[in-house]
Amino acid sequence: MRVYTVHAPVGDGADLAAADKFVFVRDGFHFWAAVASVIWLLWHRLWLALIGWIILIVAIHLGMSALGASRGTIFIVDVLIAILMGLEAASLRRWTLSRRKWRQLDVVVADDQEAAERRFFERWAARQRGFTNDQYAIDRGAPPPTRNIPGQSFSKPPPPLPQGGIIGLFPEPGGPR
């Protein structure tokens, strides 16, 4: 299962008319960002990230050449930077969206982007209609369940300890170790 964050522009509001502008950003490794970083950054219009990437690559190449690093070492560093780019590509997109004053609406877990869109819009439509106590509602303010609340599945007393009293590597409290 993949995790997607949903972003919307602040000025348009989060209504049905602005739903076509919502952006779903998949978390995880982005292969094309690692293989073709410049093209991927241009495609997603990440201008500051592109400038930073170019400055970083040029600085690393100049610095390693000045230190007398071999071509093989420079290649390994380039591969490591490409892997880092693939891992951080989603974070760069989220950073750019937040810098452009987009807001994050939700986090969705789904198999693919189509399923993520379907799940998000089902929950979002339920919230827009004012449903609060249905299967799509998200309760972010309730305290976590505890053992002291009767009626919860784990409010029963814990099972009794075995005859020795302690389970584990140290069978007696304070005993030799």
Side-chain angles (χ1 to χ4, degrees):
M1 296 293 254
R2 296 180 175 144
V3 177
Y4 293 86
T5 54
V6 184
H7 303 268
V10 172
D12 294 337
D15 58 356
L16 193 56
D20 61 339
K21 295 180 183 175
F22 290 177
V23 175
F24 288 75
V25 179
R26 179 181 58 85
D27 200 19
F29 186 79
H30 290 261
F31 175 78
W32 290 112
V35 172
S37 299
V38 173
I39 295 170
W40 190 88
L41 290 168
L42 286 171
W43 180 263
H44 291 286
R45 297 177 177 219
L46 306 177
W47 310 120
L48 286 180
L50 175 65
I51 292 169
W53 185 86
I54 291 171
I55 290 171
L56 176 71
I57 291 296
V58 169
I60 286 176
H61 279 252
L62 290 176
M64 292 186 73
S65 296
L67 292 174
S70 68
R71 289 181 180 241
T73 305
I74 294 174
F75 175 74
I76 290 173
V77 170
D78 284 342
V79 169
L80 291 175
I81 291 173
I83 291 171
L84 181 64
M85 181 65 186
L87 290 170
E88 294 299 324
S91 297
L92 289 172
R93 271 190 86 189
R94 281 190 214 97
W95 174 72
T96 301
L97 289 171
S98 69
R99 195 176 47 78
R100 292 177 184 164
K101 305 292 187 223
W102 286 51
R103 66 174 188 256
Q104 181 176 331
L105 296 178
D106 202 358
V107 176
V108 183
V109 178
D111 290 328
D112 57 2
Q113 185 167 344
E114 184 179 333
E117 290 174 358
R118 193 170 38 255
R119 282 186 180 180
F120 167 74
F121 283 114
E122 285 173 356
R123 285 196 311 215
W124 184 66
R127 277 187 251 142
Q128 293 295 322
R129 288 189 301 253
F131 294 125
T132 57
N133 293 329
D134 64 352
Q135 63 180 346
Y136 303 114
I138 299 172
D139 184 11
R140 298 181 192 269
T146 63
R147 289 192 181 271
N148 300 332
I149 300 174
Q152 291 184 352
S153 61
F154 53 83
S155 62
K156 300 179 249 174
L161 292 174
Q163 192 162 358
I166 294 182
I167 300 175
L169 297 174
F170 310 110
E172 18 180 303
R177 297 179 185 190

